[in-house]
Amino acid sequence: MLSEKMADALNLQMNREFFNARLYLAMAAYFDDLNMDGATHWMELQAEEENGHAMRIYNHLKERGARIEISDLDAPPTEWDSPLDAFQAAYEHECRVTREFDEHMELAEQEKDNATKIFLQWFVNEQVEEEDSVDSVIQKLKQVQDAPGGLFMIDRMLGERQEGAEEGAEEEEA
């Protein structure tokens, strides 16, 4: 059974992950308004992935006999200055999520909750991929800032993202 402190922390993170899904949906809508179908697709898949993360925590709470607490969610931002600005906001957000999971790992260690620590390790690894994935897009967007056709090419590349490709590959390794 989870300690109350650990259950509270995981409930908080589960709700944050539900917010993350909404943030990426807001970004998808922003890109849709710009007629950037590839970026829209990329962000929609990211939203699905974040919802999956929330459900992963939900299931862990359930398996460990903890009370599950669904909370209200703030509305995410809906406007960015440019596609680059949107992806930079996503990167900064992912860095914040990484710090959150680091804090949860520290708490699991303090609580001597090895099961939760092992559970959280998946998220720590996932965050490395998340930051790298978004940063890769940022670097490409920076390279084409002065080339109008470059944004079109990047949007096309973003549209090629496969559903669950990164997450599915990692699941097979486990």
Side-chain angles (χ1 to χ4, degrees):
M1 183 153 173
L2 286 173
S3 71
E4 187 176 329
K5 196 172 186 180
M6 194 78 244
D8 288 346
L10 290 178
N11 269 299
L12 174 63
Q13 191 62 42
M14 175 189 64
N15 284 289
R16 286 174 173 164
E17 295 296 321
F18 283 129
F19 172 83
N20 296 348
R22 292 179 57 172
L23 173 64
Y24 284 114
L25 278 177
M27 288 180 171
Y30 165 77
F31 284 114
D32 189 56
D33 286 346
L34 296 178
N35 293 315
M36 292 183 65
D37 296 340
T40 299
H41 170 76
W42 196 96
M43 290 295 179
E44 287 170 345
L45 290 181
Q46 191 64 29
E48 288 176 25
E49 193 173 298
E50 298 299 335
N51 194 62
H53 295 170
M55 292 306 299
R56 186 180 279 249
I57 297 169
Y58 173 95
N59 287 323
H60 182 76
L61 288 163
K62 186 170 75 169
E63 289 170 357
R64 299 291 305 279
R67 179 167 174 79
I68 296 168
E69 298 175 10
I70 307 297
S71 65
D72 290 337
L73 299 174
D74 292 332
T78 58
E79 295 292 327
W80 292 270
D81 292 334
S82 66
L84 176 60
D85 185 49
F87 272 96
Q88 285 176 322
Y91 179 76
E92 290 166 12
H93 184 78
E94 289 299 340
C95 289
R96 184 169 45 256
V97 172
T98 297
R99 290 189 301 274
E100 292 165 358
F101 277 109
D102 288 344
E103 291 170 7
H104 299 320
M105 284 289 279
E106 289 173 15
L107 178 60
E109 192 148 317
Q110 290 169 6
E111 297 284 312
K112 298 186 184 340
D113 184 347
N114 290 324
T116 298
K117 199 167 132 185
I118 291 166
F119 168 75
L120 290 170
Q121 187 61 53
W122 182 90
F123 288 97
V124 171
N125 294 340
E126 176 70 6
Q127 282 309 119
V128 171
E129 290 178 20
E130 297 283 3
E131 288 182 24
D132 181 57
S133 176
V134 178
D135 185 54
S136 175
V137 176
I138 289 170
Q139 297 315 312
K140 287 174 179 55
L141 288 168
K142 285 180 177 179
Q143 289 174 341
V144 301
Q145 275 183 323
D146 298 323
L151 186 58
F152 174 78
M153 291 172 52
I154 290 171
D155 187 52
R156 189 171 176 188
M157 174 204 69
L158 293 173
E160 294 172 0
R161 179 178 177 180
Q162 299 294 310
E163 184 174 355
E166 292 173 6
E167 201 167 327
E170 188 170 312
E171 293 288 338
E172 290 174 15
E173 290 175 14

